[in-house]
């Protein structure tokens, strides 16, 4: 698909995904949001709670550090426990250090006062943010995410992650949202490959995908046309349906 | 967690994941299988249906090509359509070319005869395999996966992927399976951070994870102890429960 939308990557930090304990869902949610708001998501990486691995991934993915993509979003590893090492790793990747952010401390302090609890040293750990970072707000918890360079650092708890995405994405300059149309056929992929191949040559500006599945009735395939121009997407889908006799 | 188990990565090839159309599930399934069979999954990557991106990822991840991990498993992009480019990319990464594999052709031919269909040129595309690769069997479809170097190439259709995993994993030499125990507390992460931190120092051979969540009742946290020695895992969990007053 031809696009000059900003490119993006997602870095998920979490042993719980790699151990199979948790099925990743934050990247899936953000992928949908990015496509709808004009960002071209090119890569997702899941790495362990490992300082060196996180630093290397951030450097490889954030263009402001010489990496491959315009924007990098991370999920996970910002919290109060010993294994929450994302802030330190992000700081190291961006060549800075971590400090108690006074704005974040004030947010946490206000939250504790509302809840009638103490701002313990563990809670205060959530105000540890790289020097020079801007805070990300969220409606769910007082622990802030943050942005530094082109890296946007968000929580792993799904509800908090979504809150941060809702706050952050409208503040970033996206491009044109992706338009897509889908048609489902009860045929295997090899039965529709010729029609798709011809159409791909006719519509080089679009992305034509075929996603086969297998269920109790046998094989079926979802055919998806994607592109930035709704008229072109509609024209390609009409042509595809005609060729398939639908 | 201390482990000398073989290390592994998963490479998922598929625009449908990056567009948010499909929630990834194959890597989640394989992560569970790998942990249960003594492989140390260190990274998951999702890349687009893009030749150069796939080649670069394979080279970065497969130790036989100088990459980071002992074993690499891929999901997706082997099929009959124009956008199924995995076989070519795997061949390029391993410095070889693709040919019609005669063993695969025979499998597809036999399948077509059973089904009373023709081995069309599109179906025959599924026998295109890198020169020197070994085939992977699966119970669901005749289209084979394959292994070359330390890269194991499997289908993206979940049912077929699982069939290939079931066939392949018992044929690989794994290490010791990971043991894990979980306890759930209705407290926020910062309420248990001290106990976890102390335990992490006492049990440096284990991995201690805390996974907070937020629901209608407020905050809760799952605490997970993981390691290769069931006795050590049990001892750490007993100590953790004692410290938490459970």
């Amino acid at each position: 698909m031809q696009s000059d939308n900003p490119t993006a990557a997602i870095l998920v930090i979490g042993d719980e995904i790699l151990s199979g304990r948790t099925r990743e869902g934050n990247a899936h949610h953000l992928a949908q949001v990015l496509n709808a708001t004009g960002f071209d998501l090119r890569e997702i990486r899941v790495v362990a709670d490992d300082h060196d691995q996180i630093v290397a991934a951030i450097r490889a993915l954030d263009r402001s550090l010489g990496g491959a993509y315009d924007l990098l979003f991370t999920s996970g590893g910002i919290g109060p426990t010993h294994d929450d090492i994302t802030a330190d790793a992000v700081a190291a990747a961006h060549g800075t250090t971590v400090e108690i952010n006074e704005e974040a401390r004030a947010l946490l302090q206000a939250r504790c006062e509302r809840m009638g609890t103490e701002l313990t040293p563990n809670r205060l750990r959530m105000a540890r943010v790289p020097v020079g970072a801007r805070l990300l707000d969220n409606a769910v918890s007082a622990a802030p995410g943050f942005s530094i360079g082109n890296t946007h650092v968000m929580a792993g708890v799904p509800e908090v992650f979504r809150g941060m995405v809702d706050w952050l994405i409208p503040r970033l300059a996206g491009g044109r949202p992706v338009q897509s149309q889908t048609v489902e056929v009860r045929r295997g992929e090899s039965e529709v490959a010729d029609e798709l191949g011809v159409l791909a040559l006719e519509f080089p500006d679009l992305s034509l995908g075929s996603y086969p599945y297998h269920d109790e009735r046998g094989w079926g395939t979802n055919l998806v046309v994607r592109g930035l121009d709704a008229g072109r997407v509609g024209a390609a889908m009409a042509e595809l349906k005609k060729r398939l006799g639908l």
Side-chain angles (χ1 to χ4, degrees), chain A:
Chain A
M1 187 173 67
Q2 290 163 5
S3 158
D4 52 10
N5 284 349
T7 60
I10 301 174
L11 176 64
V12 178
I13 295 148
D15 288 346
E16 71 277 21
I17 311 294
L18 296 173
S19 73
R21 186 184 170 279
T22 301
R23 183 175 178 187
E24 211 295 309
N26 287 346
H28 176 55
H29 172 73
L30 182 53
Q32 294 176 318
V33 172
L34 291 173
N35 272 268
T37 50
F39 297 92
D40 186 7
L41 177 61
R42 297 268 181 90
E43 184 166 339
I44 301 168
R45 283 194 200 183
V46 184
V47 298
D49 299 329
D50 177 280
H51 181 87
D52 294 345
Q53 208 186 356
I54 300 169
V55 171
I58 291 169
R59 289 186 174 148
L61 298 173
D62 179 339
R63 179 150 296 159
S64 77
L65 299 172
Y69 307 107
D70 294 328
L71 295 160
L72 172 62
F73 302 92
T74 79
S75 163
I78 53 169
T81 65
H82 69 284
D83 61 343
D84 290 308
I85 59 176
T86 297
D88 297 278
V90 171
H94 284 272
T96 184
T97 54
V98 162
E99 64 179 356
I100 297 290
N101 180 291
E102 288 307 322
E103 188 186 346
R105 182 210 291 267
L107 286 171
L108 290 165
Q109 182 70 52
R111 170 80 162 207
C112 284
E113 282 166 15
R114 278 202 309 283
M115 308 290 283
T117 55
E118 289 292 310
L119 184 55
T120 60
N122 285 331
R123 291 205 176 100
L124 189 58
R125 268 182 63 85
M126 294 188 280
R128 296 177 71 253
V129 165
V131 175
R134 297 92 63 197
L135 299 190
L136 304 184
D137 210 347
N138 82 89
V140 179
S141 104
F146 55 86
S147 301
I148 181 167
N150 295 353
T151 305
H152 304 280
V153 178
M154 297 183 281
V157 177
E159 202 174 356
V160 181
F161 180 83
R162 288 175 182 233
M164 291 179 178
V165 167
D166 288 348
W167 186 89
L168 173 65
I169 299 297
R171 288 167 170 80
L172 299 173
R176 298 165 70 191
V178 174
Q179 312 293 326
S180 90
Q181 289 193 27
T182 301
V183 63
E184 184 177 358
V185 292
R186 291 294 329 185
R187 308 180 199 173
E189 235 189 336
S190 55
E191 317 292 309
V192 295
D194 285 339
E195 289 77 5
L196 269 188
V198 170
L199 212 68
L201 294 175
E202 266 181 54
F203 293 87
D205 51 322
L206 304 181
S207 157
L208 306 176
S210 59
Y211 305 109
Y213 58 86
H214 188 269
D215 63 18
E216 66 283 353
R217 293 169 56 208
W219 287 93
T221 304
N222 281 297
L223 302 170
V224 181
V225 178
R226 301 171 71 246
L228 297 181
D229 184 306
R232 291 283 289 169
V233 170
M237 181 52 83
E239 177 70 21
L240 178 60
K241 286 182 173 170
K242 197 173 111 190
R243 286 183 179 275
L244 293 171
L246 300 174

